[in-house]
Amino acid sequence: MANAFVDFIRRYRGDPVLFVREVLGQIPDEWQAELLQAISSGKRRISVRSGHGVGKSTVFAWAMLWFLMTRYPVKIVVTAPTSAQLFDALFAELKRWINVLPENLQQLLEIKADRVYLKAAPEGAFISARTSRAETPEALQGIHAEHVLLVADEASGIPEAVFEAAAGSMSGEHACTLLAGNPTRSSGFFFDTHNRLKDQWWTRRVSCADSKRVSKAYIEEMKDRYGEESNAFRVRVLGEFPLSDDDTVIPIDLVVTAQNRDIDEKNAHGQQPIWGLDVARFGNDSSVLAKRFGSIITPLRYWRNLDLMQLVGAIKAEYDSTWPPERPSEILVDSIGLGAGVVDRLRELNLPARGINVAEAPSMKALYQNLRSELWFKAKAWLELRHSKLPPDERLLADLVAPRYSFTSSGKLKVEGKDEMRKRGLGSPDAADAVCLTLAHDAATALYGMSGRSPWNKPIRRNLQGVI
């Protein structure tokens, strides 16, 4: 057995592509093979920006298994900005490929929730998963061994303090640092590895259009959803960093970060719930209900092809089926056009509905053209505080990053309307508008206070400076 393992190491130590082909029975894509060969050739700094679904997690798992099985002593640390990204995606992928290993190799390994190691040397040969957070930047710190592999997934979202703390671990003679992810931010360490520090890093860009793992139908769907010229399409499909001079209201990195933020949704319980309802106006649009519990937006509800009374019935059923302590103090409804009828009927049913006319004047008249523009920029400010949580909803992401802004002749900020967006080939941002409506509630609390339910059947007098 010992001699067989020595022969195994001799055969595969310098050839990870052969390891993947013969041991795992897979044929790597061209870019995956290039990355594996870069590691084996001694490249110490590797950074890959990519679109979504190109096989990044898979090649990471292959690299970690090959590195673990062909070197000793060896320490491999893998990290990501959130526990969901780390354990539900990358570490789960690693465990999947361990199960593909031949049985005699599987028996050498012990698999724990956050750790994989050689049974014969638990401290001398292991893979450790550690979440990267700004408040605990030591995820990649103090990793020293003859052979070290540091793997950072979704590297755009990893706090700078983590990379600063990892400087010692990354500088070892036989240490290899592997960064990859969607390029969501045009700043930070990951961005620098593809720009200012590019001469020091082996870099690659992997577009969905160049990957056989991504269907053409997906790319066309992304074009329709985001627009081919949008930052979202650049990041999610082309694997390009967003343009810094883009005139979208909400940058994509704020949304992606909020969707992946580690916040226990149990914290939402006990917070005063607010519902926002955007009422569909056209056949291709959806009526959307957003629920906000403090800083957390829970999964959205969508309805299509309902008439007004059917929509009212759906909201009434949602309200009645909600545990009484978690029923909303207000249901804020876009009351322009069809929404006014929804508000009236919900009030008749004694639900706490309030109409919000987003076309009327804002509270900060010197800055914004209308209330819609003010609410969108308040939503941006709310996300910039970086304590909010959004559901991992692809449509919501598309809606939030779609609208652009401009300045009127008097210097006021104006967020483009739905008709303007349609002229650009984009749909109505119904999901994002519903989320924005939940933030309009702060106007009522500023006026009436937080004790008990606000008098929702009285006209709202806005003071949105506090909406954050």
Side-chain angles (χ1 to χ4, degrees):
M1 178 67 179
N3 289 336
F5 196 63
V6 169
D7 291 340
F8 173 91
I9 293 175
R10 285 175 178 167
R11 181 169 181 80
Y12 298 117
R13 180 183 177 91
D15 197 339
V17 175
L18 188 65
F19 172 87
V20 172
R21 286 176 176 268
E22 294 186 349
V23 179
L24 299 176
Q26 299 296 308
I27 300 176
D29 295 349
E30 182 178 350
W31 79 268
Q32 292 175 323
E34 289 178 354
L35 183 146
L36 292 169
Q37 290 163 350
I39 299 173
S40 67
S41 68
K43 301 293 184 185
R44 295 179 53 250
R45 300 181 180 91
I46 298 171
S47 185
V48 178
R49 67 189 194 272
S50 71
H52 182 71
V54 299
K56 163 176 58 70
S57 296
T58 297
V59 73
F60 273 15
W62 294 344
M64 287 188 285
L65 280 178
W66 165 75
F67 208 81
L68 178 68
M69 303 298 293
T70 60
R71 282 152 176 76
Y72 184 86
V74 57
K75 295 182 180 180
I76 303 169
V77 176
V78 55
T79 191
T82 69
S83 58
Q85 288 170 320
L86 179 56
F87 293 104
D88 296 346
L90 184 53
F91 216 62
E93 184 75 0
L94 173 65
K95 292 177 180 179
R96 180 171 82 87
W97 286 105
I98 289 175
N99 290 330
V100 175
L101 287 170
E103 186 175 354
N104 61 333
L105 294 179
Q106 289 186 43
Q107 292 175 350
L108 299 176
L109 302 176
E110 187 73 31
I111 303 173
K112 300 295 185 181
D114 61 354
R115 192 176 177 89
V116 174
Y117 56 85
L118 284 181
K119 293 177 181 178
E123 299 303 319
F126 62 77
I127 302 172
S128 176
R130 307 176 185 181
T131 306
S132 290
R133 297 187 179 92
E135 61 272 20
T136 55
E138 62 275 6
L140 301 180
Q141 191 174 35
I143 313 301
H144 302 291
E146 185 175 343
H147 304 284
V148 173
L149 179 63
L150 305 178
V151 179
D153 195 14
E154 298 304 339
S156 267
I158 293 178
E160 301 303 295
V162 172
F163 292 118
E164 292 173 4
S169 301
M170 295 167 65
S171 64
E173 183 179 354
H174 298 292
C176 176
T177 302
L178 176 56
L179 312 182
N182 293 142
T184 58
R185 286 198 302 146
S186 294
S187 62
F189 186 74
F190 185 57
F191 175 79
D192 287 343
T193 64
H194 290 264
N195 292 275
R196 182 173 60 87
L197 303 175
K198 186 175 181 179
D199 291 344
Q200 304 172 31
W201 288 76
W202 184 95
T203 61
R204 286 294 183 275
R205 177 180 72 88
V206 186
S207 167
C208 291
D210 300 328
S211 174
K212 64 183 181 182
R213 298 171 185 268
V214 181
S215 70
K216 301 301 180 185
Y218 170 82
I219 296 174
E220 290 304 315
E221 179 187 348
M222 294 298 101
K223 283 182 183 179
D224 293 341
R225 176 175 290 171
Y226 296 118
E228 195 169 359
E229 303 301 319
S230 69
N231 269 339
F233 188 81
R234 287 176 59 84
V235 171
R236 307 286 274 192
V237 176
L238 300 181
E240 293 282 17
F241 289 98
L243 297 173
S244 59
D245 60 351
D246 193 38
D247 54 358
T248 54
V249 180
I250 298 178
I252 187 173
D253 75 285
L254 291 181
V255 182
V256 171
T257 302
Q259 289 186 326
N260 293 307
R261 185 166 287 125
D262 279 333
I263 295 178
D264 190 347
E265 291 197 6
K266 293 179 181 178
N267 295 335
H269 299 291
Q271 298 285 336
Q272 187 70 63
I274 306 297
W275 291 5
L277 177 64
D278 187 74
V279 180
R281 292 169 175 76
F282 301 96
N284 292 329
D285 295 343
S286 299
S287 294
V288 185
L289 177 66
K291 302 178 182 180
R292 180 168 68 88
F293 295 76
S295 63
I296 296 175
I297 302 288
T298 57
L300 276 57
R301 294 293 310 274
Y302 295 88
W303 295 277
R304 288 191 64 182
N305 301 319
L306 297 185
D307 63 33
L308 291 189
M309 291 306 100
Q310 289 175 321
L311 178 60
V312 169
I315 299 301
K316 179 69 162 60
E318 189 79 14
Y319 183 88
D320 290 343
S321 64
T322 299
W323 186 42
E326 293 190 357
R327 288 176 178 169
S329 61
E330 287 193 314
I331 305 172
L332 302 175
V333 184
D334 183 356
S335 61
I336 297 177
L338 300 177
V342 173
V343 173
D344 290 343
R345 181 56 182 149
L346 288 174
R347 286 178 176 175
E348 288 179 357
L349 295 172
N350 203 33
L351 268 65
R354 186 193 300 281
I356 304 292
N357 185 340
V358 297
E360 65 182 30
S363 65
M364 303 178 70
K365 297 179 180 179
L367 290 180
Y368 304 105
Q369 184 194 43
N370 53 26
L371 178 56
R372 170 182 164 79
S373 299
E374 184 165 16
L375 285 178
W376 269 86
F377 276 95
K378 292 301 180 184
K380 177 184 179 182
W382 182 65
L383 291 169
E384 285 176 332
L385 290 179
R386 298 188 182 274
H387 65 189
S388 52
K389 172 71 175 176
L390 295 174
D393 183 324
E394 194 72 25
R395 177 171 174 179
L396 176 59
L397 185 149
D399 283 2
L400 283 169
V401 303
R404 297 173 177 173
Y405 71 90
S406 59
F407 290 92
T408 67
S409 59
S410 58
K412 296 179 181 180
L413 286 165
K414 175 186 178 297
V415 174
E416 68 177 335
K418 299 181 179 183
D419 290 339
E420 294 172 289
M421 293 179 64
R422 287 191 181 90
K423 291 177 182 178
R424 292 200 286 125
L426 301 177
S428 173
D430 306 312
D433 282 334
V435 169
C436 289
L437 284 167
T438 69
L439 297 172
H441 163 77
D442 293 58
T445 58
L447 178 60
Y448 298 114
M450 289 297 292
S451 59
R453 293 198 171 196
S454 63
W456 48 265
N457 55 347
K458 294 183 179 180
I460 190 167
R461 284 159 45 200
R462 294 183 313 282
N463 178 21
L464 291 179
Q465 287 94 330
V467 178
I468 293 177

